[in-house]
Amino acid sequence: MMHPTAIVFDLDGTLIHSAPDLHFASNVALKAFDREPLDLATIISFIGNGVEKLVERILRATGGTNENLQRDALRIFLDVYEKNMTTLTRPYPGVVPALEAFRAQGVRLGICTNKPTGPAREICEQLDLAKYFDVIVGAEPSQPKKPDPASLMRSIEVLGCPKNEALYVGDSSIDYHTAINGAVTFRLFAGGYLNEPLPNLSGADKFDDWSVHGILTK
C-alpha cells in the first residue's frame, strides 16, 4: 500500500513520547501510599492498555492492590496527570513534517488510542497537532479498548475510507493485534513502546524514520 486514502495513528509511543509525564504521575501516586518509585523503563513497559491498567500495574509491582487502593491511586494519578499532560511530552522528531506531507497529499488522518478521548484531544491541542486530524477516537466507557478493533473501525468509518484503503500505524503489540482483528494494514513505529516481539511482522512493515517514505515502506 504505497498511497493509502487514510491513515489512523496510535498516540502514546507512536506520535508522541508521553512516558515521562506518565512516569511522573505514577510516582506521585505511589508516593501517596508510601510505595517505592518506579523507573521510566518500567512505566513504559506498563503503557498501552489505558490508565486504569497502568495504575493497576504500578500497584502490583510495588506491593499489590485492591479495589479501594486502585480507586484512590487512580484518582491521584489522574489529578496529577491532567495538570501535566504536556509538561515533558513531545511529538517524536519528524512527526509534524510527516503529518504535513500527508495532509498536503490529501490523505485523511485520524487517531485511535486507548487514552480517554478528552485527554487525547487536549494533548493534541496543546502540542498543536489537532489541526492535522479529522477524527480522534479514544477510550470510552461504552466501547471496548484495543486490541478490540471497534475504535479503529469507527475511526476509519468517520474518515470515509474503505477498510482496504486504510493504514493503521502504532508502536505496540496491542496496536498490531488491533489491526489484525480489524483486517487493516499495519505499520509498526519501531521507536516507540513495543514490549514484546512480533514474529509475524515483516521488516518491511516496520519503520523508525518518520518520513513519508519511511512509513510507506511497501
Side-chain angles (χ1 to χ4, degrees):
M1 180 183 292
M2 288 302 296
H3 299 289
T5 302
I7 304 176
V8 181
F9 300 89
D10 174 54
L11 185 59
D12 297 85
T14 301
L15 294 172
I16 60 173
H17 181 36
S18 56
D21 284 322
L22 294 167
H23 179 228
F24 176 74
S26 295
N27 281 337
V28 172
L30 290 173
K31 185 177 181 180
F33 300 98
D34 296 321
R35 300 287 182 92
E36 290 296 316
L38 295 170
D39 61 26
L40 180 61
T42 299
I43 296 300
I44 287 175
S45 74
F46 292 162
I47 293 172
N49 298 93
V51 293
E52 296 87 355
K53 200 68 178 178
L54 171 59
V55 170
E56 177 187 334
R57 287 167 174 162
I58 67 172
L59 291 172
R60 292 193 183 282
T62 57
T65 188
N66 57 55
E67 184 176 345
N68 291 336
L69 181 59
Q70 175 78 17
R71 182 193 63 239
D72 293 343
L74 179 61
R75 176 181 53 79
I76 294 169
F77 174 93
L78 290 173
D79 183 60
V80 174
Y81 186 58
E82 286 169 4
K83 297 171 183 173
N84 295 278
M85 291 191 294
T86 57
T87 301
L88 301 171
T89 295
R90 297 290 182 271
Y92 283 105
V95 163
V96 170
L99 297 177
E100 290 176 343
F102 282 123
R103 292 290 292 194
Q105 294 174 8
V107 179
R108 304 198 71 190
L109 305 178
I111 289 175
C112 173
T113 173
N114 274 344
K115 187 185 289 296
T117 304
R121 287 177 175 163
E122 186 173 349
I123 287 171
C124 288
E125 289 286 354
Q126 291 181 13
L127 296 177
D128 200 28
L129 296 176
K131 62 188 178 184
Y132 298 111
F133 300 103
D134 299 296
V135 62
I136 297 175
V137 176
E140 300 290 347
S142 60
Q143 182 171 277
K145 289 185 174 68
K146 301 182 297 182
D148 187 290
S151 56
L152 177 58
M153 295 301 99
R154 181 180 163 204
S155 304
I156 294 171
E157 180 181 3
V158 172
L159 293 175
C161 173
K163 187 169 69 172
N164 63 352
E165 295 179 12
L167 177 66
Y168 187 44
V169 177
D171 70 297
S172 70
S173 62
I174 295 165
D175 299 323
Y176 170 73
H177 289 294
T178 302
I180 294 296
N181 292 339
V184 176
T185 302
F186 180 71
R187 294 287 182 273
L188 177 77
F189 172 52
Y193 303 156
L194 182 65
N195 295 307
E196 61 181 279
L198 298 175
N200 295 325
L201 194 69
S202 73
D205 290 323
K206 306 174 186 178
F207 72 96
D208 54 18
D209 171 16
W210 262 105
S211 66
V212 172
H213 174 73
I215 296 171
L216 302 180
T217 50
K218 70 176 183 178

